[in-house]
Amino acid sequence: MKAYKLYLIRHGLTKANEDGRYIGTTDIPLSDEGKEKIISLKENYEYPKVQKVYTSPLARAVQTANLIYPDNYTVNVDSLREYSFGEFENRSIEDLAKDPTYIQWVREGMITPPNGGESKEQFAQRIFSGFNNLLIDMMKEVVTSVAVICHSGIISALLARYGLPRRSPTDWNIKPGEGYCLLTSVQMWTKDQLFEVCDTIPYGKQEYNSASYHNLKLD
């Protein structure tokens, strides 16, 4: 049975990350610190070799992909862009905590989209459909090992929806430049839409490995 490996990797730091601002679809580059940390991770640890790289179309993801995989064929996937916060974009957490519109939106579970943004359901439909199309593309081209450079919100949503072991989105810790190795097969995906989370990326960075996942109880 042919196995497919996908390495989900979060982009590097931006100035907005450092300032504690909400950034979704706003297109901003990596900060100088963000670039330096990606380069340091690559020099001190090991990113897996892949046949192809998929990225969010946003600059911070594309730049990260170019730093980690400068020699690989890269495809921008529009559906992998981060959640659109609409009127809440580019605002600090402290500022939003005082905004009654934001407070109500969070209290209601983000069901309705913020002004100019998208709802939680719209976000989920977009990324789940895009990820399925990505896997279909891999299978058609017989590409068995790819990197997917995108955003923490997307990675945590995918892991919570399709990943084994089962965890909630907030249980997945995704630091800049880091991520997870996913393993699936044609049968596992087409029949059950599942993948196994089998390791952390880059190799050697985390103190735990795939064995820690296998010891967890699945629910």
Side-chain angles (χ1 to χ4, degrees):
M1 183 182 298
K2 190 182 296 294
Y4 294 88
K5 283 189 175 182
L6 301 92
Y7 303 97
L8 296 187
I9 302 171
R10 182 186 175 188
H11 64 79
L13 280 172
T14 66
K15 186 65 166 58
N17 296 139
E18 296 164 9
D19 295 342
R21 287 180 282 132
Y22 270 72
I23 294 294
T25 54
T26 302
D27 200 5
I28 58 176
L30 297 178
S31 64
D32 290 340
E33 182 182 353
K35 293 176 185 177
E36 290 171 3
K37 286 189 174 181
I38 293 296
I39 293 170
S40 177
L41 285 172
K42 186 175 180 180
E43 290 177 346
N44 291 287
Y45 305 101
E46 180 185 358
Y47 285 101
K49 294 181 179 179
V50 297
Q51 296 167 279
K52 189 174 181 178
V53 178
Y54 298 92
T55 79
S56 158
L58 300 180
R60 55 195 186 270
V62 175
Q63 289 178 323
T64 301
N66 289 338
L67 288 171
I68 299 175
Y69 295 106
D71 301 320
N72 282 81
Y73 176 57
T74 301
V75 177
N76 291 356
V77 182
D78 187 62
S79 58
L80 295 181
R81 68 189 185 279
E82 183 60 290
Y83 177 82
S84 175
F85 289 100
E87 63 180 312
F88 307 135
E89 285 272 341
N90 211 18
R91 294 174 62 185
S92 70
I93 296 173
E94 290 183 0
D95 178 33
L96 287 171
K98 303 171 186 176
D99 187 329
T101 304
Y102 172 78
I103 294 170
Q104 182 178 358
W105 176 69
V106 172
R107 187 176 295 145
E108 293 175 350
M110 302 164 56
I111 296 174
T112 58
N115 185 30
E118 62 186 333
S119 69
K120 185 165 60 175
E121 182 179 355
Q122 290 169 333
F123 173 67
Q125 289 178 346
R126 166 167 63 83
I127 65 172
F128 295 154
S129 175
F131 186 74
N132 183 63
N133 290 338
L134 188 155
L135 271 165
I136 291 173
D137 183 56
M138 286 181 64
M139 294 172 185
K140 284 182 177 179
E141 294 190 6
V142 197
V143 173
T144 58
S145 178
V146 303
V148 183
I149 315 293
C150 54
H151 309 273
S152 59
I154 291 177
I155 296 173
S156 60
L158 290 172
L159 293 172
R161 175 69 176 267
Y162 302 121
L164 295 176
R166 294 294 195 187
R167 292 181 178 178
S168 69
T170 55
D171 287 335
W172 294 102
N173 182 27
I174 310 153
K175 297 179 181 178
E178 300 181 23
Y180 294 93
C181 171
L182 318 179
L183 185 65
T184 192
S185 64
V186 172
Q187 182 178 4
M188 189 176 182
W189 184 254
T190 57
K191 181 181 177 182
D192 301 312
Q193 285 204 309
L194 292 173
F195 51 68
E196 181 184 6
V197 183
C198 56
D199 215 335
T200 53
I201 304 300
Y203 296 130
K205 176 66 171 61
Q206 301 288 350
E207 295 180 357
Y208 53 90
N209 55 33
S210 57
S212 63
Y213 295 118
H214 298 155
N215 290 333
L216 291 174
K217 180 180 179 181
L218 306 184
D219 57 20

